[in-house]
């Protein structure tokens, strides 16, 4: 899965946006980045300096929208050379540094939108009381075998779960990288109970804006994602010195930062462009769209 995802994001075809396979929030409207910039301004108030580090920046839209609001020192950690080229092109006028590893000694905020959901997962199933990992034969047949790494999952008999051990490693890296400051992650996911209540796990693929359940077709040509288990991020964070300050739906989060007031302004202006923007902004907060599926986690290292 790691190799397939690496290939997918390295392909010359842009995966994100109208010509790609899926939209992300920054694609819908710049308001998403502008409201996040407000959050960063609040965070920066109590700190002597404030650097932003974005993980997996896609087309660079979020960086552009944040930096257009306020010019924070800004680093991007991006693995795909293709995505990085797009980011460099879009962000030419801003002072952005690209890094290959999370640097030590950061005071500020390490953040991401839809980063944790694209990390490779371990697919496990409970059989006769024990957890088994699902592997693939060369001709793409699933076979069950012993776990590669220790996994402790409260999974009912016969149920499948997609366990993101990489996410836990990233949380530890983030905690080590921060001298003082915040971690903010926006992604779709659940808390533990709901996460393990999904009978067939949460692995899903996207191709040309259609959800595809079979991950063994169009290999390397379609996006593969899995919901984030936010309880894991909170627990691993707590063990690594990150205290959870906030966990909420994207709808509640953006409402708290004034998205409804922005929408009201557009509604009263009434022109065609404002109406188009309004429709896209609604997707950010409507429960049936991104509003409830997406969650915002804010952690703090004193
Ligand atoms: C789903 S896209 C989200 C892009 C962007 N944050 C947005 O909201 O539009 C995931 C991004 O993470 C990057 N990525 C995936 N795995 C990564 C890794 N291990 N290290 C750094 N970047 C990674 C991908 O290349 C891509 O830019």
């Amino acid at each position: 899965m790691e190799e397939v995802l690496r290939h997918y994001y390295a392909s010359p075809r842009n995966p994100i946006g109208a010509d790609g396979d899926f939209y992300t929030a920054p694609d819908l409207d710049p308001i998403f980045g502008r409201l996040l910039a407000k959050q960063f301004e609040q965070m920066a108030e109590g700190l002597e300096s404030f650097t932003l580090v974005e993980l997996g920046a896609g087309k660079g839209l979020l960086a552009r929208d944040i930096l257009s609001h306020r010019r924070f020192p800004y680093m991007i950690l991006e693995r795909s050379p293709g995505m990085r080229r797009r980011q460099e092109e879009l962000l030419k006028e801003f002072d952005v540094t690209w890094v290959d590893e999370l640097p030590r000694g950061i005071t500020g905020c390490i953040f991401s939108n839809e980063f944790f959901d694209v990390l490779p997962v371990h697919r496990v199933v409970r059989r006769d009381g024990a957890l088994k990992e699902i592997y693939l034969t060369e001709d793409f047949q699933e076979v069950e075998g012993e776990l590669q790494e220790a996994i402790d999952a409260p999974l009912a008999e016969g149920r499948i779960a997609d366990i993101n051990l990489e996410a836990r490693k990233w949380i530890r890296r983030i905690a080590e990288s921060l001298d003082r400051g915040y971690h903010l992650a926006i992604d779709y996911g659940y808390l533990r109970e709901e996460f393990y209540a999904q009978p067939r796990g949460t692995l899903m693929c996207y191709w040309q804006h259609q959800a595809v359940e079979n991950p063994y077709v169009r290999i390397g040509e379609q996006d593969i994602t899995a919901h984030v288990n936010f309880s894991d991020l909170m627990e691993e964070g707590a063990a690594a010195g990150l205290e959870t300050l906030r966990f909420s739906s994207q709808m509640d989060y953006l409402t708290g930062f004034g998205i409804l007031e922005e929408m009201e302004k557009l509604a009263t202006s009434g022109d065609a462009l404002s109406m188009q923007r309004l429709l896209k902004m609604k997707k950010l907060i409507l429960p049936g769209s991104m509003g409830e599926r997406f969650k915002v986690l804010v952690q703090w290292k004193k």
Side-chain angles (χ1 to χ4, degrees):
M1 188 171 169
E2 161 99 42
E3 276 318 304
V4 169
L5 279 165
R6 196 186 281 273
H7 175 85
Y8 175 72
Y9 278 102
S11 125
R13 182 175 151 266
N14 179 10
I16 313 172
D19 303 334
D21 297 322
F22 57 91
Y23 286 105
T24 60
D27 257 288
L28 290 175
D29 196 88
I31 191 69
F32 185 73
R34 286 219 296 277
L35 296 179
L36 271 184
K38 278 199 200 176
Q39 160 82 93
F40 297 139
E41 280 179 329
Q42 281 183 8
M43 289 174 170
E45 269 169 29
L47 297 171
E48 60 284 0
S49 64
F50 196 81
T51 296
L52 284 174
V53 185
E54 183 177 358
L55 306 177
K59 294 194 289 189
L61 298 176
L62 192 49
R64 179 200 62 192
D65 298 336
I66 291 166
L67 289 168
S68 303
H69 181 85
R70 172 138 167 209
R71 305 235 166 174
F72 293 105
Y74 207 105
M75 294 181 192
I76 291 179
L77 192 154
E78 171 58 60
R79 187 173 66 173
S80 150
M83 297 316 285
R84 181 169 162 167
R85 271 195 298 280
R86 290 184 190 100
Q87 294 157 16
E88 284 169 342
E89 179 60 26
L90 185 78
L91 300 169
K92 272 196 293 231
E93 63 172 287
F94 301 104
D95 192 8
V96 174
T97 313
W98 278 263
V99 291
D100 295 324
E101 306 263 326
L102 272 179
R104 295 284 177 135
I106 294 289
T107 299
C109 182
I110 301 174
F111 77 102
S112 61
N113 183 59
E114 291 207 45
F115 171 73
F116 285 96
D117 72 277
V118 299
L119 299 175
V121 291
H122 295 257
R123 189 143 245 232
V124 299
V125 58
R126 191 171 293 278
R127 295 277 183 227
D128 302 325
L131 283 183
K132 299 283 174 199
E133 184 149 355
I134 300 177
Y135 296 101
L136 274 188
T137 61
E138 278 181 6
D139 54 350
F140 295 98
Q141 300 303 309
E142 291 187 346
V143 285
E144 294 170 14
E146 295 310 308
L147 298 175
Q148 278 180 64
E149 290 185 53
I151 292 174
D152 181 17
L155 199 59
E157 185 64 28
R159 291 212 161 164
I160 292 175
D162 299 298
I163 311 285
N164 192 338
L165 297 177
E166 277 298 302
R168 285 180 169 262
K169 291 178 192 157
W170 274 98
I171 286 290
R172 287 200 292 274
R173 283 180 207 142
I174 290 165
E176 279 165 18
S177 169
L178 278 173
D179 201 7
R180 221 170 145 229
Y182 300 86
H183 169 234
L184 184 152
I186 306 175
D187 228 310
Y188 44 93
Y190 303 120
L191 290 176
R192 171 169 294 107
E193 210 179 308
E194 213 180 342
F195 182 84
Y196 288 111
Q198 313 302 314
R200 304 243 354 121
T202 65
L203 200 77
M204 185 53 78
C205 303
Y206 289 92
W207 182 70
Q208 298 190 353
H209 299 275
Q210 294 168 51
V212 179
E213 279 185 17
N214 186 353
Y216 311 134
V217 293
R218 287 186 284 271
I219 294 169
E221 303 295 322
Q222 61 180 9
D223 185 35
I224 312 178
T225 84
H227 279 52
V228 175
N229 177 350
F230 279 99
S231 300
D232 267 4
L233 304 196
M234 291 182 207
E235 272 170 21
E236 196 67 35
L242 291 173
E243 184 188 326
T244 295
L245 293 181
R246 179 169 189 175
F247 178 68
S248 69
S249 67
Q250 180 167 295
M251 174 176 67
D252 286 347
Y253 187 79
L254 295 180
T255 304
F257 278 97
I259 194 167
L260 295 179
E261 291 74 2
E262 297 289 334
M263 289 170 74
E264 220 172 285
K265 281 187 219 156
L266 290 176
T268 46
S269 86
D271 59 85
L273 186 64
S274 302
M275 290 304 115
Q276 276 171 18
R277 282 193 63 196
L278 202 55
L279 285 178
K280 290 186 174 171
M281 280 160 79
K282 272 189 186 166
K283 291 192 178 160
L284 293 173
I285 53 166
L286 282 179
S289 191
M290 288 180 167
E292 265 179 7
R293 248 180 346 124
F294 278 74
K295 309 289 192 311
V296 183
L297 171 68
V298 183
Q299 295 169 307
W300 154 249
K301 182 170 178 184
K302 282 191 212 150

